[in-house]
Amino acid sequence: PNPPLIWYMSMPVIVLADLVGASITTVFRIVTAFLAGGSMIACYAILNQTSLTSQKYFIQMVVFLMALFLFPLAWRDFGQREYFSLIFILPYAFMTVARLEGSKPELLKSIFIGVFASIGIAFKPYMMLIPICIVGYSFFKERTRVLLWGEYYGMALSAIAYFLLIFLYSPAYISDVVPIVMKFYWGFNVTVWDVAYSHLIAALGFWALLMGVNRIKMTIFQVIIIIVLGGFLFNLVAQLKGYTYHAYPVIVTSFILVGSSFFTHKSSFLYKGIRPQFSKACFILIFVALLFGEFKNSVRWTLEAVNEDEMFQTIHRELAEEVDRLAVGGAFTAFTTHPFPNFPTALTVDAKWVGRSNSHMAIPAIVKSMEQGIEIDKEIENFAFEQVLNVMQNFTPEVVMVDRRKFRHAIFESEFDFIDYYSQNAEFAKIWTNYQKISSISGIDFYKHFTDIEKNSN
């Protein structure tokens, strides 16, 4: 379901890893760190062209927060699509601040910033809200002069190039993938309450209350950051998946917004009894509380990773060994609603992984329809059967792993059984008679393909 851009961007990393003889993981981390560092340098240089340089430590605060969240506190969100969106969009946002304050960046630099911003936006269609709102605000302030800004020419050229790439190399994404994905991707959704980070919303609400009560006039910087934050918040809510990396850029921009309030000047207070020092203390309290929460989450996730790492490595190794033992260099696949156990197994075995996608993506929508007593959409059901039949008929995998764990991605504790469901299809049922269960590891059942001769001999 992901737009082709993430696949295109992965290719240079894979090529580079092959050239230098290093692992893809190592090269990916280095490239990601290089891009994040480049974004920080660009943001620092751009902000130095604004009036913010007159506010002591302001720019250092912004860059420090970026460094903190792009590296140690990024945790498992490091290198996710929203992570890249953040590092590519922030320089564009800060350049807008500089322009609205009268700065005139060099044409090539602004085009370059626009190209990177367009990449960050193209990862998810919901990100389009950010440039739309920034252009609207900029037009309100600068009128038609906005049309001369180089970053928008960079965005336009990038958009044209991207659409040409899709048209030439991935036309099926538009003609086939998008229509069917729109039908079943809702199956992965959770409720709004599951994606609403209540502590973050409460902190932003308290921040807005303090700003309003004290009649603090927002700076251009704060307005632009609010637009960016709002775009990322829309991206979080619109997807309704509850994944931490969807919330990641919201958290980072929230910290930058609250942090900028320490440096807000020329505020007039509504109540004489409230002193500016008290208000700033409240801003600091919000900031520290948020920071404490992020540090707590990071420590907890780190400890869990340390405790579970050996167990997961053991499970991954056992799965890989079993696939190699049973497939003997042939093909394998897995019936699952999550990339695991197809991956990382496919990266470490001699057998070849085969499949239409890294998981059976239509199943969560089918399971939810069953549980809610809703008639299953025939197009979704046909897609589910076509997906599995394409693999079973065209590749005849030696080994099929079937996920029968008690808790499974997107279908949670449902008792849904892949084999029972797919066997409703006569073609699949016939093919499956040649498979026999051999073993089970941590809730993953292994089925081995046998020819009629082999079955008779057994």
Side-chain angles (χ1 to χ4, degrees):
N2 297 309
L5 180 63
I6 190 62
W7 303 102
Y8 299 159
M9 288 191 64
S10 299
M11 292 175 188
V13 173
I14 296 168
V15 172
L16 183 59
D18 286 341
L19 288 174
V20 300
S23 72
I24 296 173
T25 305
T26 301
V27 174
F28 174 77
R29 287 172 176 165
I30 293 171
V31 170
T32 303
F34 176 79
L35 291 171
S39 175
M40 287 170 50
I41 294 170
C43 289
Y44 180 79
I46 293 168
L47 289 175
N48 269 308
Q49 298 172 11
T50 68
S51 62
L52 299 171
T53 54
S54 63
Q55 299 180 21
K56 195 176 182 181
Y57 303 128
F58 182 93
I59 297 174
Q60 289 87 338
M61 179 273 299
V62 173
V63 175
F64 169 75
L65 287 176
M66 287 183 66
L68 189 65
F69 282 96
L70 292 180
F71 293 101
L73 293 188
W75 184 225
R76 59 183 175 184
D77 302 328
F78 180 83
Q80 290 284 1
R81 284 148 295 170
E82 274 79 0
Y83 179 96
F84 285 118
S85 289
L86 179 73
I87 65 177
F88 289 156
I89 289 174
L90 279 184
Y92 155 65
F94 294 159
M95 180 168 280
T96 302
V97 175
R99 282 194 180 277
L100 293 177
E101 290 193 351
S103 177
K104 295 181 179 179
E106 295 177 16
L107 180 61
L108 285 178
K109 288 182 180 178
S110 60
I111 291 175
F112 186 76
I113 292 294
V115 169
F116 271 90
S118 67
I119 294 173
I121 294 161
F123 279 123
K124 299 285 178 74
Y126 312 109
M127 303 290 186
M128 279 298 299
L129 185 65
I130 296 174
I132 289 172
C133 291
I134 288 180
V135 168
Y137 178 70
S138 301
F139 188 82
F140 172 75
K141 302 284 285 187
E142 294 290 321
R143 302 304 180 190
T144 56
R145 284 189 290 272
V146 173
L147 301 176
L148 301 176
W149 293 1
E151 48 268 41
Y152 294 114
Y153 291 98
M155 287 185 183
L157 291 171
S158 299
I160 293 170
Y162 184 39
F163 284 122
L164 281 175
L165 282 172
I166 293 176
F167 178 75
L168 292 172
Y169 298 106
S170 312
Y173 179 76
I174 302 297
S175 61
D176 300 344
V177 177
V178 171
I180 189 66
V181 165
M182 290 178 68
K183 280 186 168 291
F184 67 68
Y185 205 43
W186 63 268
F188 290 88
N189 289 358
V190 294
T191 67
V192 174
W193 302 113
D194 290 322
V195 302
Y197 284 61
S198 55
H199 69 287
L200 188 62
I201 302 299
L204 290 174
F206 190 32
W207 172 86
L209 180 64
L210 281 172
M211 294 286 287
V213 166
N214 292 287
R215 293 181 179 175
I216 299 176
K217 185 179 180 180
M218 285 195 295
T219 62
I220 291 174
F221 177 86
Q222 288 176 316
V223 172
I224 294 297
I225 284 296
I226 286 175
I227 290 173
V228 175
L229 191 161
F232 285 134
L233 188 61
F234 178 73
N235 175 70
L236 167 66
V237 175
Q239 294 183 89
L240 281 179
K241 301 297 182 295
Y243 303 145
T244 59
Y245 55 86
H246 290 168
Y248 169 78
V250 181
I251 293 169
V252 179
T253 48
S254 295
F255 270 94
I256 294 175
L257 177 65
V258 174
S260 69
S261 303
F262 304 158
F263 303 88
T264 303
H265 296 295
K266 299 178 181 178
S267 58
S268 59
F269 289 84
L270 182 60
Y271 302 108
K272 292 181 180 179
I274 300 179
R275 297 175 60 82
Q277 290 80 358
F278 174 77
S279 186
K280 287 189 177 182
C282 288
F283 284 129
I284 292 173
L285 184 64
I286 298 172
F287 186 87
V288 171
L290 284 174
L291 196 60
F292 175 77
E294 291 308 307
F295 269 115
K296 184 182 73 172
N297 287 338
S298 183
V299 170
R300 176 171 59 84
W301 288 334
T302 302
L303 291 175
E304 287 177 359
V306 170
N307 293 334
E308 296 176 356
D309 186 56
E310 186 175 347
M311 178 186 71
F312 283 136
Q313 285 191 21
T314 300
I315 293 172
H316 293 165
R317 186 172 58 252
E318 289 175 350
L319 292 176
E321 288 174 352
E322 190 70 351
V323 167
D324 273 335
R325 182 179 77 86
L326 297 175
V328 194
F332 81 97
T333 193
F335 296 170
T336 175
T337 54
H338 189 272
F340 176 84
N342 282 311
F343 299 94
T345 308
L347 302 176
T348 58
V349 296
D350 291 329
K352 179 182 179 181
W353 173 79
V354 291
R356 290 293 303 276
S357 69
N358 60 18
S359 65
H360 292 216
M361 293 184 292
I363 294 303
I366 290 170
V367 171
K368 286 187 178 180
S369 296
M370 290 176 173
E371 292 176 343
Q372 296 171 14
I374 302 171
E375 185 178 353
I376 300 172
D377 188 303
K378 288 300 179 185
E379 194 171 350
I380 295 176
E381 194 161 52
N382 289 339
F383 176 83
F385 288 132
E386 287 171 5
Q387 182 185 35
V388 71
L389 286 172
N390 176 277
V391 176
M392 302 305 289
Q393 290 175 335
N394 296 332
F395 299 100
T396 315
E398 294 292 328
V399 172
V400 175
M401 292 187 283
V402 179
D403 187 356
R404 285 201 171 99
R405 291 173 296 173
K406 290 183 179 179
F407 189 91
R408 292 171 291 184
H409 180 62
I411 60 176
F412 310 113
E413 296 179 352
S414 169
E415 295 182 358
F416 174 85
D417 186 275
F418 286 95
I419 306 306
D420 288 347
Y421 177 74
Y422 287 139
S423 293
Q424 296 176 60
N425 181 281
E427 293 179 73
F428 176 86
K430 182 179 179 181
I431 293 170
W432 195 249
T433 59
N434 292 318
Y435 285 84
Q436 294 180 12
K437 182 179 175 180
I438 301 298
S439 57
S440 182
I441 297 174
S442 300
I444 307 295
D445 291 347
F446 286 77
Y447 287 80
K448 167 78 173 171
H449 179 266
F450 290 96
T451 63
D452 292 335
I453 297 174
E454 289 172 326
K455 285 192 292 184
N456 292 334
S457 63
N458 287 336

